[in-house]
Amino acid sequence: MKSGVSLPIAALVTQLRSRLRQIQQLSVYKSPLPRIIWVAGRSVLVSSTLLTGLFLGLQRFSVLESLELQIFDRFVQLQPDADLDPRLLIVTINEDDLQRYGWPLSDQELAQGLSQLQMHQPRVIGLDLYRDMVVPPGQTAFATQLHADNLIVITNVAHDISPPSGVEADRVGFNNLTLDADGVLRRNLLFVAGAEQDYYSFALRVSLAYLAAEGITFDVTPDALFMGDRPVIPLKATDGGYQTADTRGYQVMLPYRTRRDVAHTVTFSQLLNGTVNPQWIRDKVVLVGTFAPSLKDMIYTPYSSAQSDIFQMPGVIIHAQMVSQLLDIPSDNPRLFRFWPRWGEWLWFWGWATVAGCLGWSLRHPLAFGVAGTVCLGLIGGIGWISFSQLIWIPMAEPALGFVAGLGFVMAHRLRYATTRDTLTGLLNRSAFVRSLTRSLAHRPHDKPSSALGVMFLGLNRFQLINQSLGRQMGDRLLLLIVDRLHTLLPGSVRLARVSGDEFALACKQRHNGTLTTLADQLQTVLADPFWLNQQPIVITTSIGIALTQHEYRHTPEDLLRDAHTAMYRAKSLGETHYQVFAAGMLEESVDRFTLEKDLRQGINNQEFVLHYQPIMSLNGGNVVGFEALVRWHHPKRGLLSPQQFIPLAEETGLIIPLGEWICQSACHQVRQWKTQFPSQLLMMGINISGRQFEQPELIGHLAQSIRDSGIEGAELKLEITESMVMGNVEVAIDLMLRLKSLGCTLGLDDFGTGYSSLNHLRRFPVDILKIDLSFVQRMDESREDHEIIRTIISLGHTLGMDLIAEGVETPAQAEALRSMDCEFGQGYYWAKPLPVEDATALLWRQESLADLVSRADHHPN
């Protein structure tokens, strides 16, 4: 068995080691990002995904196809015209030719024209004229020209227009054009596979005849056409801006070479007159067709909407555009549109919807919002234009509209979030929580008394100290860590809200008696473990109030919140880490507290407070060495009130700050007055510093000002703080205590032995005096254990170079026992209760008189 002196020290060391082990075993909570970032991320992801799905659904009904085609046309119009194709010559039959030769041209006139062309050795002649009937005279001459191997004629399968008789099938091409729903020609239909025979377009027949002379072959597979070794991939129904296009047969997009003249153009009259340059014909593709608007062989093209005079393009020019495209395919620069894969288009759309969501959450100023939106829409258009210039057609309307819709969707969500959620934590705010309670109360089954709706009000004690000492940013990080812990414990059915800076509310159903009290116990246990910020442990305590619905009452959300809030304040009055269930009497008490708070504010303004002074006695000399200043309130209706009746309220409301300043100023002036009256007596004045005062950064300045104004020395003040005040954040507390010491003041640690100071912390505290708590002193006569604890505290204090003051001394035996253990000072009712200033002054006069008598007796012995 160890000695009585060493036993308490060993117990303290054991507790310290146990506490350190608990801290080491704790998971280190890392600071999460503000919850609004996660909320914004989910909002952006959900909005972009939903919009992508929505627009994919709209594609099934071609809702945006017309808009995409208009953008396509605009891009075509913006493309610069290419040079004339030197491989082609176009012979047109215009209105003058019709007046001269009539319509239809006779076989003789047509044969004469073909003969003139053949004289100059064209590689291919494409007769873009329907000749399914004989037009005399000249049938024989025309039939002779039709037998030429380099002549390609035209037919129309859909309208059952046959080619001229006697022409082989491999020199016949169809004139079936694929128009979009708006009547505009944007595609080139090349080939249609039939059950009995295959069908080649007129432009394809002409092109293949031309390329055959260069040894370029043609092949058809189920997946592509091959012109030489160059594959031509057929257009799919959803390529580019198309959404449900009819893509039967082999189709490709038609990249128009120019808006007017594709190649050299001559009239039929010039051909017959022999005025055509032979070099324009030799080894070229010659297309013969109508150019007269009256024949109505005109087609709408992407240029139509931009034309001011000729809105349509003649069929022979259309075929020239097609042939020019096909002749380029085997070259190193094929004029074939390419398209992104389907997944690439989805990613393109989803990406811009995501960008819109990010902008919607991140930007606040309308100007920045407008500039960013304009820039993004410009980027969509710019990327689309650059891609189009490289013959890559990507959807434009969908990402642009998706971007705008994404902005609107996310902004609406952000607005709703801002009105219903706490910005930092993402929890419900007070108004949203009240609305949630309203719905819960409306659906509460009144026929089940066992099913009660409970509201808990959770307040963080001394949280302002964190904000003021570590900064608001660290305080925000701590709040996020607290919310994370709450989420790990609370079931999903519990609704959690942040109703003020350091207060939370939650609502849940109580399934059986004790559900909420058990939950309150768990919450306080979980939140009691230290939080780690910058590798420093931060201890937070909580006070919880609980309010339950009752079967026989009709409750409102405001009633429940008020009752839970009232119960929380009752828990705070009982000390840290308590919870209370609302009882009927608490409401009246709350109203009384409200009245008392109002009176307290008026009392501070009206200076209704006075100081009483309790003597601090030297246990060896028996003389007064100082006083502890204790405030009293002369309430105009309730009389003289003790600190226990109003100090807790002053702490909660923050009124302790102005009251504490008044106490310091009054006590300092009283020290100055006694110093003048009793210059021979060295007195110290003890002033209690409250927890709220200790958290104030202005404390040092106010104390320094009071010392200067009163003209006393800092050493004449003994500032008393409690263990609980300094253990929340030890490093910050030590820094503040050192600043107080810099004023020259003496520091005392009040109520020592009742808190949770460790020996390591006590060694580091710049404390001059330990005050032994009265609970030990008053039991020392009856409890051997308390007697030994006091002895250990005194021994510990002396080891650390501190003086000891014992509080609550009420009997001579207690005073003598403390003196025998070398305790320096004591105070308590044994000597005097807290005295008004007059009685305290009279006590000092008596001590002064007694000192004079002793002095005279020493100088004049009998």
Side-chain angles (χ1 to χ4, degrees):
M1 178 69 68
K2 297 183 179 181
S3 66
V5 174
S6 60
L7 179 60
I9 296 179
L12 287 174
V13 172
T14 301
Q15 292 178 2
L16 173 62
R17 289 176 177 173
S18 175
R19 188 64 177 169
L20 288 175
R21 281 195 300 270
Q22 292 176 8
I23 293 176
Q24 291 172 355
Q25 293 170 0
L26 286 173
S27 298
V28 178
Y29 288 83
K30 298 180 180 180
S31 174
L33 292 172
R35 195 163 301 275
I36 189 173
I37 295 180
W38 302 112
V39 173
R42 289 197 300 269
S43 175
V44 171
L45 180 61
V46 169
S47 66
S48 59
T49 304
L50 286 178
L51 286 173
T52 301
L54 173 63
F55 277 84
L56 290 178
L58 293 177
Q59 285 183 348
R60 293 181 174 271
F61 303 98
S62 301
V63 174
L64 297 177
E65 185 173 289
S66 59
L67 184 56
E68 293 284 5
L69 295 179
Q70 292 177 29
I71 296 173
F72 177 91
D73 292 349
R74 184 57 179 164
F75 280 176
V76 170
Q77 296 163 17
L78 294 175
Q79 294 292 325
D81 288 342
D83 296 332
L84 298 180
D85 193 333
R87 298 165 298 186
L88 277 69
L89 173 68
I90 303 173
V91 178
T92 64
I93 302 171
N94 58 21
E95 295 291 349
D96 291 339
D97 295 328
L98 295 182
Q99 290 181 7
R100 178 176 299 179
Y101 304 109
W103 186 257
L105 295 176
S106 67
D107 290 344
Q108 181 177 344
E109 291 163 342
L110 195 53
Q112 184 180 355
L114 293 175
S115 176
Q116 288 286 350
L117 290 174
Q118 295 289 11
M119 288 174 55
H120 301 296
Q121 301 176 350
R123 187 180 298 187
V124 183
I125 297 175
L127 186 60
D128 191 9
L129 297 173
Y130 294 127
R131 301 300 289 191
D132 56 339
M133 60 181 179
V134 176
V135 183
Q139 298 95 316
T140 303
F142 182 61
T144 301
Q145 293 296 326
L146 289 177
H147 284 89
D149 292 337
N150 66 342
L151 179 65
I152 307 298
V153 298
I154 196 167
T155 184
N156 192 304
V157 179
H159 294 85
D160 197 23
I161 300 177
S162 302
S165 61
V167 180
E168 298 87 348
D170 58 357
R171 291 193 294 116
V172 177
F174 62 77
N175 188 36
N176 299 76
L177 302 179
T178 304
L179 303 179
D180 289 319
D182 55 0
V184 176
L185 180 67
R186 301 180 181 91
R187 289 175 277 165
N188 187 354
L189 175 60
L190 303 179
F191 178 85
V192 177
E196 298 179 357
Q197 70 174 80
D198 295 333
Y199 298 90
Y200 291 71
S201 72
F202 176 73
L204 180 60
R205 284 292 192 192
V206 171
S207 301
L208 293 179
Y210 181 89
L211 295 173
E214 299 178 358
I216 297 175
T217 60
F218 176 76
D219 191 19
V220 181
T221 69
D223 299 322
L225 302 177
F226 284 86
M227 302 182 72
D229 58 356
R230 182 75 65 181
V232 180
I233 308 300
L235 184 73
K236 295 189 291 294
T238 56
D239 278 342
Y242 284 114
Q243 297 172 2
T244 58
D246 180 2
T247 55
R248 289 175 293 179
Y250 281 76
Q251 300 182 39
V252 295
M253 297 300 298
L254 176 59
Y256 285 82
R257 186 182 186 93
T258 167
R259 69 196 64 224
R260 287 190 181 273
D261 297 327
V262 182
H264 289 295
T265 303
V266 298
T267 66
F268 193 73
S269 297
Q270 290 173 323
L271 176 64
L272 294 182
N273 295 334
T275 59
V276 178
N277 186 346
Q279 295 301 320
W280 291 359
I281 301 174
R282 183 171 289 109
D283 205 31
K284 302 294 193 296
V285 172
V286 179
L287 297 178
V288 181
T290 62
F291 202 88
S294 61
L295 297 180
K296 299 181 180 179
D297 184 20
M298 308 291 282
I299 308 297
Y300 287 103
T301 70
Y303 297 110
S304 297
S305 62
Q307 298 290 351
S308 59
D309 49 359
I310 301 176
F311 300 102
Q312 295 172 300
M313 187 175 289
V316 68
I317 303 298
I318 293 290
H319 280 128
Q321 300 273 11
M322 293 178 173
V323 171
S324 178
Q325 175 194 16
L326 296 176
L327 294 182
D328 284 337
I329 290 177
S331 67
D332 293 333
N333 188 27
R335 295 173 58 231
L336 288 172
F337 271 98
R338 291 166 291 166
F339 313 96
W340 282 355
R342 196 70 174 143
W343 62 264
E345 293 181 358
W346 295 347
L347 186 61
W348 162 251
F349 175 82
W350 180 84
W352 282 111
T354 302
V355 170
C358 294
L359 292 178
W361 273 99
S362 59
L363 298 181
R364 295 292 184 270
H365 196 281
L367 179 60
F369 187 81
V371 170
T374 303
V375 169
C376 288
L377 290 175
L379 281 174
I380 295 174
I383 294 172
W385 161 252
I386 293 173
S387 299
F388 195 87
S389 65
Q390 301 299 316
L391 294 181
I392 301 174
W393 186 24
I394 59 177
M396 298 292 298
E398 293 176 0
L401 292 177
F403 178 83
V404 174
L407 282 178
F409 184 93
V410 170
M411 288 183 64
H413 186 202
R414 192 182 78 182
L415 178 62
R416 182 180 181 277
Y417 182 87
T419 57
T420 61
R421 296 282 177 167
D422 173 60
T423 305
L424 174 67
T425 62
L427 301 177
L428 294 173
N429 60 21
R430 187 184 186 95
S431 60
F433 185 72
V434 169
R435 290 195 295 270
S436 176
L437 282 181
T438 301
R439 292 191 297 269
S440 297
L441 290 172
H443 295 89
R444 184 171 65 94
H446 295 280
D447 57 343
K448 296 181 179 179
S450 60
S451 178
L453 179 65
V455 174
M456 297 176 63
F457 214 99
L458 187 150
L460 306 178
N461 299 320
R462 301 187 300 111
F463 183 77
Q464 291 302 318
L465 176 62
I466 304 297
N467 279 337
Q468 293 168 358
S469 58
L470 299 181
R472 183 167 296 276
Q473 183 178 7
M474 294 293 287
D476 289 345
R477 291 176 62 189
L478 179 58
L479 281 174
L480 292 172
L481 292 173
I482 290 171
V483 171
D484 273 1
R485 284 203 193 174
L486 292 175
H487 279 306
T488 59
L489 176 64
L490 296 175
S493 59
V494 174
R495 295 184 300 280
L496 180 63
R498 184 186 180 200
V499 293
S500 68
D502 56 359
E503 293 178 333
F504 299 87
L506 57 91
C508 64
K509 294 180 180 179
Q510 173 154 300
R511 303 298 182 184
H512 54 79
N513 292 335
T515 299
L516 290 177
T517 55
T518 300
L519 182 59
D521 273 328
Q522 294 172 346
L523 288 174
Q524 290 182 325
T525 300
V526 167
L527 296 178
D529 287 335
F531 293 87
W532 291 84
L533 291 175
N534 291 347
Q535 299 181 345
Q536 295 183 21
I538 307 296
V539 178
I540 287 290
T541 60
T542 56
S543 299
I544 297 177
I546 302 173
L548 291 168
T549 58
Q550 300 181 34
H551 177 62
E552 62 273 16
Y553 293 106
R554 292 284 181 179
H555 296 273
T556 66
E558 290 77 10
D559 291 341
L560 286 174
L561 272 176
R562 178 202 62 200
D563 294 347
H565 193 255
T566 300
M568 185 201 71
Y569 272 107
R570 167 61 71 87
K572 280 183 177 287
S573 68
L574 298 176
E576 297 184 353
T577 318
H578 281 79
Y579 68 81
Q580 283 286 295
V581 179
F582 179 80
M586 291 184 183
L587 185 57
E588 289 76 10
E589 180 182 339
S590 177
V591 174
D592 183 65
R593 285 170 59 85
F594 176 78
T595 303
L596 188 62
E597 179 184 344
K598 181 185 65 175
D599 293 345
L600 185 59
R601 294 181 186 276
Q602 294 177 350
I604 293 174
N605 294 331
N606 298 336
Q607 297 185 351
E608 297 172 357
F609 296 89
V610 296
L611 292 181
H612 285 195
Y613 302 92
Q614 186 171 29
I616 301 173
M617 308 299 295
S618 170
L619 293 178
N620 289 324
N623 58 303
V624 178
V625 295
F627 293 90
E628 180 178 358
L630 301 170
V631 68
R632 300 291 187 269
W633 182 11
H634 275 300
H635 193 280
K637 295 181 180 179
R638 305 187 187 190
L640 189 65
L641 300 182
S642 65
Q644 291 78 11
Q645 294 175 278
F646 62 88
I647 288 297
L649 180 60
E651 285 271 6
E652 295 169 10
T653 59
L655 293 174
I656 193 66
I657 305 301
L659 181 59
E661 292 176 11
W662 177 85
I663 292 173
C664 289
Q665 294 170 359
S666 300
C668 288
H669 283 287
Q670 187 58 54
V671 170
R672 177 63 182 173
Q673 184 175 350
W674 280 338
K675 187 176 181 179
T676 302
Q677 292 177 295
F678 310 104
S680 61
Q681 299 190 38
L682 298 177
L683 300 174
M684 61 178 173
M685 178 65 74
I687 300 175
N688 292 293
I689 303 298
S690 73
R692 291 293 290 269
Q693 285 180 283
F694 197 69
E695 298 171 2
Q696 296 298 311
E698 298 86 2
L699 174 63
I700 305 297
H702 290 156
L703 280 172
Q705 186 65 40
S706 297
I707 292 172
R708 287 195 299 270
D709 292 345
S710 60
I712 65 174
E713 300 294 331
E716 295 173 290
L717 288 184
K718 175 172 67 70
L719 304 178
E720 298 185 4
I721 56 180
T722 63
E723 287 183 90
S724 59
M725 289 165 50
V726 298
M727 291 306 296
N729 191 314
V730 174
E731 300 301 327
V732 174
I734 291 175
D735 178 68
L736 184 55
M737 286 190 283
L738 290 173
R739 293 169 62 193
L740 291 173
K741 290 278 289 184
S742 68
L743 300 177
C745 301
T746 300
L747 287 185
L749 191 60
D750 201 0
D751 302 332
F752 183 74
T754 61
Y756 44 90
S757 297
S758 69
L759 296 179
N760 180 52
H761 289 152
L762 183 61
R763 176 180 60 81
R764 297 177 60 203
F765 291 155
V767 174
D768 304 292
I769 297 175
L770 290 182
K771 293 192 75 172
I772 304 172
D773 189 68
L774 58 83
S775 61
F776 297 117
V777 174
Q778 293 175 350
R779 294 194 302 264
M780 64 183 299
D781 296 336
E782 305 170 359
S783 170
R784 178 66 179 173
E785 182 179 282
D786 287 322
H787 191 280
E788 292 303 324
I789 288 176
I790 292 175
R791 184 187 298 277
T792 301
I793 293 174
I794 293 173
S795 175
L796 176 62
H798 288 162
T799 300
L800 297 177
M802 303 175 186
D803 291 333
L804 279 299
I805 298 178
E807 295 183 293
V809 180
E810 296 183 351
T811 65
Q814 292 171 349
E816 178 58 27
L818 291 167
R819 187 193 62 76
S820 67
M821 288 186 280
D822 294 331
C823 180
E824 286 82 4
F825 308 107
Q827 65 182 102
Y829 286 3
Y830 171 60
W831 292 284
K833 296 180 178 181
L835 303 172
V837 63
E838 297 82 4
D839 294 343
T841 304
L843 177 62
L844 291 177
W845 278 119
R846 289 195 296 273
Q847 181 166 289
E848 182 81 8
S849 301
L850 181 60
D852 289 341
L853 289 175
V854 171
S855 177
R856 286 196 295 269
D858 290 341
H859 288 86
H860 302 285
N862 292 331

